[in-house]
Amino acid sequence: MQRIAVEELTGLVTALFSAKGASHGEAQDVAASLVGANLTGHDSHGVVRVPRYLDWIDDGTLRPGRELDLVTDGGVFVLADGGHGFGQTLGRRIVDLGIDRASTHGVAITALRRSGHIGRIGEWAERAAAADLVSIHCVNVHGSVLVAPFGAREKRFSTAPFAVGVPQPDAPPLILDFATSLVAEGKVLNAFKGGKALPADCIIATDGQLTDDPCAFYGTTDRSVVPVTAKAPGALVAMGLHKGSGLAFMMELLGGALTGGGTCGPDKTPVANGMLSIYLDPHRLDPANDFHGEVARFVAWVRGAAPRPGIDEVLVPGDAERRLRLERTAEGVPLPVEVWRGLQNAAQRLGVR
Ligand code: NAD
């Protein structure tokens, strides 16, 4: 592992996407989101993705410069097509649209389909929370069949993430954000590249046995390659037994079928995110309700629960990310040597720096 300063890392990633045809502003947004994922500890959705994004631009899976194409505008609800643009650009646009509509109506629903990889979903819940809105985000990944349903050894779901954000006026927002697989695929990629080891039994090998070996998922032990996820012979285990598997199932329907982006069935390409989001202004729902006061009291009560042996303290959603962001902003982003080398090789290839 080596620590890279935030400005250096952001500058390099910005330069790489600029060299690939993104405008400077778009490249900066993509870089800020990817480095932001590293800062919050979600290395799976950080700069480890850059080589894959560069390949995707080459093969047309990802198209710089795309803006939202509004398919349906019902005022309180909108549906937009992303045309396989950068998810980091489309995510900002669609959430800002949801915030705008919720400020008019008190509530809003946005549906985004055919978006390029939209990254850490918590970023979008944080953006809505900064506008004092509660938000819920249901996401699927069309063209990325990775997760076995409960009881199956074969893959049927994407890692279909789910996020909820609750703002707090006098404290940081509460942000729940996770993949519905036991681990996100990016965490497998990160472990494959020499990063943090995986938890036990999060992968199903081709013989149906459970393992934590990322090589059993990708079907290769050559850690210098960028593994093609679509060709991975292994499967990821769904989180939370039958309940998490059911949540993943519903994310496919809400993020995929309802947005029109499509569920992640067989022979579907390219890889694209669908995201159904709900935004709600708690003050408009019931102006007399002391929502924020109740949230603050509940948070304090939960934090006050006595920890089990071996656990330092009880955390609430968003704590872990916020603490790491503070630490990594000050100390730099820890990257596996292989990931840093991959970025530098790309820079050399593209004549950047
Ligand atoms: P995870 O398993 O690290 O869980 C994160 C959640 O758990 C956060 O809400 C965090 O605050 C909370 N948390 C962490 N430690 C805690 C503790 N000790 N006590 C209480 N709460 C705690 O997340 P993940 O499943 O690995 O997901 C990683 C990222 O991948 C997410 O940002 C997700 O949005 C993203 N993702 C994106 C896609 C996509 O297609 N764009 C697909 C899958 C996942």
Side-chain angles (χ1 to χ4, degrees), residues 19 39 111 117 119 138 150 172 201 207 225 243 261 274 291 294 309 313-314 353:
L39 287 176
H117 187 239
C138 304
F150 182 64
D201 295 349
D207 61 2
V225 299
K243 304 176 197 183
F291 174 67
E294 183 64 11
E313 60 180 319
V314 173
R353 294 186 176 184

PDB file of all heavy atoms in Angstrom, residues 19 39 111 117 119 138 150 172 201 207 225 243 261 274 291 294 309 313-314 353:
ATOM      1  N   ALA A  19      -7.887  13.236 -21.359  1.00  0.00           N
ATOM      2  CA  ALA A  19      -7.169  12.696 -22.523  1.00  0.00           C
ATOM      3  C   ALA A  19      -8.052  11.761 -23.340  1.00  0.00           C
ATOM      4  O   ALA A  19      -7.781  11.492 -24.507  1.00  0.00           O
ATOM      5  CB  ALA A  19      -5.912  11.962 -22.057  1.00  0.00           C
ATOM      6  N   LEU A  39     -12.010   8.077  -0.427  1.00  0.00           N
ATOM      7  CA  LEU A  39     -11.918   8.817   0.841  1.00  0.00           C
ATOM      8  C   LEU A  39     -12.881   8.260   1.874  1.00  0.00           C
ATOM      9  O   LEU A  39     -12.582   8.212   3.061  1.00  0.00           O
ATOM     10  CB  LEU A  39     -12.209  10.306   0.609  1.00  0.00           C
ATOM     11  CG  LEU A  39     -11.108  11.096  -0.106  1.00  0.00           C
ATOM     12  CD1 LEU A  39     -11.556  12.530  -0.366  1.00  0.00           C
ATOM     13  CD2 LEU A  39      -9.823  11.092   0.722  1.00  0.00           C
ATOM     14  N   ALA A 111     -36.433   8.706 -12.136  1.00  0.00           N
ATOM     15  CA  ALA A 111     -35.988   7.408 -12.662  1.00  0.00           C
ATOM     16  C   ALA A 111     -34.927   7.694 -13.716  1.00  0.00           C
ATOM     17  O   ALA A 111     -35.155   8.499 -14.626  1.00  0.00           O
ATOM     18  CB  ALA A 111     -37.167   6.657 -13.267  1.00  0.00           C
ATOM     19  N   HIS A 117     -21.660   3.723 -15.191  1.00  0.00           N
ATOM     20  CA  HIS A 117     -21.502   3.345 -13.778  1.00  0.00           C
ATOM     21  C   HIS A 117     -21.671   4.572 -12.875  1.00  0.00           C
ATOM     22  O   HIS A 117     -20.947   5.559 -13.001  1.00  0.00           O
ATOM     23  CB  HIS A 117     -20.120   2.718 -13.585  1.00  0.00           C
ATOM     24  CG  HIS A 117     -19.932   2.148 -12.241  1.00  0.00           C
ATOM     25  ND1 HIS A 117     -18.942   2.559 -11.393  1.00  0.00           N
ATOM     26  CD2 HIS A 117     -20.631   1.206 -11.566  1.00  0.00           C
ATOM     27  CE1 HIS A 117     -19.013   1.879 -10.270  1.00  0.00           C
ATOM     28  NE2 HIS A 117     -20.039   1.046 -10.349  1.00  0.00           N
ATOM     29  N   GLY A 119     -21.437   4.727  -9.599  1.00  0.00           N
ATOM     30  CA  GLY A 119     -20.505   4.811  -8.480  1.00  0.00           C
ATOM     31  C   GLY A 119     -21.085   4.509  -7.123  1.00  0.00           C
ATOM     32  O   GLY A 119     -21.930   3.626  -6.967  1.00  0.00           O
ATOM     33  N   CYS A 138     -32.882   3.148  -5.265  1.00  0.00           N
ATOM     34  CA  CYS A 138     -32.923   1.717  -5.612  1.00  0.00           C
ATOM     35  C   CYS A 138     -32.240   1.548  -6.958  1.00  0.00           C
ATOM     36  O   CYS A 138     -32.665   2.150  -7.945  1.00  0.00           O
ATOM     37  CB  CYS A 138     -34.368   1.239  -5.718  1.00  0.00           C
ATOM     38  SG  CYS A 138     -35.311   1.542  -4.216  1.00  0.00           S
ATOM     39  N   PHE A 150     -30.621 -16.576  -3.162  1.00  0.00           N
ATOM     40  CA  PHE A 150     -30.523 -17.460  -1.992  1.00  0.00           C
ATOM     41  C   PHE A 150     -30.783 -18.905  -2.413  1.00  0.00           C
ATOM     42  O   PHE A 150     -31.801 -19.201  -3.055  1.00  0.00           O
ATOM     43  CB  PHE A 150     -31.542 -17.032  -0.930  1.00  0.00           C
ATOM     44  CG  PHE A 150     -31.478 -17.855   0.328  1.00  0.00           C
ATOM     45  CD1 PHE A 150     -30.345 -17.836   1.129  1.00  0.00           C
ATOM     46  CD2 PHE A 150     -32.536 -18.665   0.702  1.00  0.00           C
ATOM     47  CE1 PHE A 150     -30.268 -18.600   2.288  1.00  0.00           C
ATOM     48  CE2 PHE A 150     -32.481 -19.426   1.860  1.00  0.00           C
ATOM     49  CZ  PHE A 150     -31.335 -19.395   2.649  1.00  0.00           C
ATOM     50  N   PRO A 172     -23.894  15.604  10.952  1.00  0.00           N
ATOM     51  CA  PRO A 172     -23.757  15.073   9.586  1.00  0.00           C
ATOM     52  C   PRO A 172     -24.955  14.190   9.218  1.00  0.00           C
ATOM     53  O   PRO A 172     -25.611  13.631  10.108  1.00  0.00           O
ATOM     54  CB  PRO A 172     -22.475  14.237   9.670  1.00  0.00           C
ATOM     55  CG  PRO A 172     -21.781  14.677  10.905  1.00  0.00           C
ATOM     56  CD  PRO A 172     -22.821  15.144  11.846  1.00  0.00           C
ATOM     57  N   ASP A 201     -16.529 -16.874   2.971  1.00  0.00           N
ATOM     58  CA  ASP A 201     -17.728 -17.418   2.311  1.00  0.00           C
ATOM     59  C   ASP A 201     -18.559 -16.385   1.561  1.00  0.00           C
ATOM     60  O   ASP A 201     -19.793 -16.431   1.577  1.00  0.00           O
ATOM     61  CB  ASP A 201     -18.622 -18.111   3.353  1.00  0.00           C
ATOM     62  CG  ASP A 201     -17.946 -19.346   3.956  1.00  0.00           C
ATOM     63  OD1 ASP A 201     -16.895 -19.760   3.412  1.00  0.00           O
ATOM     64  OD2 ASP A 201     -18.461 -19.864   4.953  1.00  0.00           O
ATOM     65  N   ASP A 207     -17.604 -25.041  -8.395  1.00  0.00           N
ATOM     66  CA  ASP A 207     -18.087 -26.333  -7.876  1.00  0.00           C
ATOM     67  C   ASP A 207     -19.202 -26.152  -6.839  1.00  0.00           C
ATOM     68  O   ASP A 207     -19.626 -27.117  -6.205  1.00  0.00           O
ATOM     69  CB  ASP A 207     -16.917 -27.134  -7.275  1.00  0.00           C
ATOM     70  CG  ASP A 207     -16.252 -26.406  -6.100  1.00  0.00           C
ATOM     71  OD1 ASP A 207     -16.718 -25.305  -5.727  1.00  0.00           O
ATOM     72  OD2 ASP A 207     -15.259 -26.935  -5.565  1.00  0.00           O
ATOM     73  N   VAL A 225      -3.746  -8.419 -14.713  1.00  0.00           N
ATOM     74  CA  VAL A 225      -4.766  -8.125 -15.734  1.00  0.00           C
ATOM     75  C   VAL A 225      -5.939  -7.359 -15.108  1.00  0.00           C
ATOM     76  O   VAL A 225      -6.128  -7.356 -13.894  1.00  0.00           O
ATOM     77  CB  VAL A 225      -5.319  -9.410 -16.389  1.00  0.00           C
ATOM     78  CG1 VAL A 225      -4.213 -10.175 -17.080  1.00  0.00           C
ATOM     79  CG2 VAL A 225      -6.024 -10.290 -15.358  1.00  0.00           C
ATOM     80  N   LYS A 243     -33.472 -12.817   3.049  1.00  0.00           N
ATOM     81  CA  LYS A 243     -34.005 -11.441   3.100  1.00  0.00           C
ATOM     82  C   LYS A 243     -33.202 -10.513   2.179  1.00  0.00           C
ATOM     83  O   LYS A 243     -33.766  -9.718   1.427  1.00  0.00           O
ATOM     84  CB  LYS A 243     -33.974 -10.917   4.535  1.00  0.00           C
ATOM     85  CG  LYS A 243     -34.734 -11.812   5.503  1.00  0.00           C
ATOM     86  CD  LYS A 243     -34.607 -11.309   6.919  1.00  0.00           C
ATOM     87  CE  LYS A 243     -35.003 -12.388   7.898  1.00  0.00           C
ATOM     88  NZ  LYS A 243     -34.970 -11.920   9.284  1.00  0.00           N
ATOM     89  N   GLY A 261     -34.676   0.538 -17.844  1.00  0.00           N
ATOM     90  CA  GLY A 261     -33.288   0.205 -18.191  1.00  0.00           C
ATOM     91  C   GLY A 261     -33.106  -1.288 -18.368  1.00  0.00           C
ATOM     92  O   GLY A 261     -32.180  -1.733 -19.034  1.00  0.00           O
ATOM     93  N   GLY A 274     -29.406   1.530 -13.571  1.00  0.00           N
ATOM     94  CA  GLY A 274     -30.738   2.135 -13.495  1.00  0.00           C
ATOM     95  C   GLY A 274     -30.927   2.573 -12.050  1.00  0.00           C
ATOM     96  O   GLY A 274     -30.502   1.868 -11.135  1.00  0.00           O
ATOM     97  N   PHE A 291     -39.412  16.311  13.427  1.00  0.00           N
ATOM     98  CA  PHE A 291     -38.686  15.196  12.799  1.00  0.00           C
ATOM     99  C   PHE A 291     -37.214  15.187  13.211  1.00  0.00           C
ATOM    100  O   PHE A 291     -36.686  14.174  13.678  1.00  0.00           O
ATOM    101  CB  PHE A 291     -38.818  15.290  11.271  1.00  0.00           C
ATOM    102  CG  PHE A 291     -37.995  14.292  10.513  1.00  0.00           C
ATOM    103  CD1 PHE A 291     -38.274  12.932  10.575  1.00  0.00           C
ATOM    104  CD2 PHE A 291     -36.915  14.704   9.725  1.00  0.00           C
ATOM    105  CE1 PHE A 291     -37.509  12.007   9.872  1.00  0.00           C
ATOM    106  CE2 PHE A 291     -36.152  13.784   9.021  1.00  0.00           C
ATOM    107  CZ  PHE A 291     -36.450  12.435   9.097  1.00  0.00           C
ATOM    108  N   GLU A 294     -36.600  14.230  16.805  1.00  0.00           N
ATOM    109  CA  GLU A 294     -36.806  12.801  17.043  1.00  0.00           C
ATOM    110  C   GLU A 294     -35.632  11.986  16.490  1.00  0.00           C
ATOM    111  O   GLU A 294     -35.173  11.029  17.122  1.00  0.00           O
ATOM    112  CB  GLU A 294     -38.134  12.356  16.398  1.00  0.00           C
ATOM    113  CG  GLU A 294     -38.515  10.909  16.630  1.00  0.00           C
ATOM    114  CD  GLU A 294     -38.768  10.559  18.108  1.00  0.00           C
ATOM    115  OE1 GLU A 294     -38.851  11.481  18.933  1.00  0.00           O
ATOM    116  OE2 GLU A 294     -38.858   9.355  18.413  1.00  0.00           O
ATOM    117  N   PRO A 309     -18.533  -7.461  23.502  1.00  0.00           N
ATOM    118  CA  PRO A 309     -17.085  -7.597  23.709  1.00  0.00           C
ATOM    119  C   PRO A 309     -16.346  -7.550  22.376  1.00  0.00           C
ATOM    120  O   PRO A 309     -16.804  -8.141  21.390  1.00  0.00           O
ATOM    121  CB  PRO A 309     -16.952  -8.982  24.357  1.00  0.00           C
ATOM    122  CG  PRO A 309     -18.290  -9.282  24.940  1.00  0.00           C
ATOM    123  CD  PRO A 309     -19.303  -8.569  24.103  1.00  0.00           C
ATOM    124  N   GLU A 313     -17.381   0.706  19.788  1.00  0.00           N
ATOM    125  CA  GLU A 313     -18.565   1.555  19.935  1.00  0.00           C
ATOM    126  C   GLU A 313     -19.599   1.188  18.881  1.00  0.00           C
ATOM    127  O   GLU A 313     -19.284   0.593  17.853  1.00  0.00           O
ATOM    128  CB  GLU A 313     -18.187   3.037  19.809  1.00  0.00           C
ATOM    129  CG  GLU A 313     -17.577   3.375  18.484  1.00  0.00           C
ATOM    130  CD  GLU A 313     -17.204   4.842  18.362  1.00  0.00           C
ATOM    131  OE1 GLU A 313     -17.966   5.705  18.797  1.00  0.00           O
ATOM    132  OE2 GLU A 313     -16.131   5.108  17.773  1.00  0.00           O
ATOM    133  N   VAL A 314     -20.834   1.586  19.165  1.00  0.00           N
ATOM    134  CA  VAL A 314     -21.920   1.328  18.217  1.00  0.00           C
ATOM    135  C   VAL A 314     -22.018   2.519  17.270  1.00  0.00           C
ATOM    136  O   VAL A 314     -22.067   3.672  17.715  1.00  0.00           O
ATOM    137  CB  VAL A 314     -23.240   1.110  18.987  1.00  0.00           C
ATOM    138  CG1 VAL A 314     -24.418   1.019  18.031  1.00  0.00           C
ATOM    139  CG2 VAL A 314     -23.132  -0.152  19.839  1.00  0.00           C
ATOM    140  N   ARG A 353       1.253  13.703 -18.540  1.00  0.00           N
ATOM    141  CA  ARG A 353       2.375  13.990 -17.624  1.00  0.00           C
ATOM    142  C   ARG A 353       3.698  13.429 -18.092  1.00  0.00           C
ATOM    143  O   ARG A 353       3.784  12.346 -18.623  1.00  0.00           O
ATOM    144  CB  ARG A 353       2.095  13.450 -16.223  1.00  0.00           C
ATOM    145  CG  ARG A 353       0.940  14.185 -15.601  1.00  0.00           C
ATOM    146  CD  ARG A 353       0.765  13.747 -14.199  1.00  0.00           C
ATOM    147  NE  ARG A 353      -0.279  14.524 -13.571  1.00  0.00           N
ATOM    148  CZ  ARG A 353      -0.609  14.421 -12.301  1.00  0.00           C
ATOM    149  NH1 ARG A 353       0.016  13.598 -11.533  1.00  0.00           N
ATOM    150  NH2 ARG A 353      -1.563  15.146 -11.787  1.00  0.00           N
TER     151      ARG A 353
END
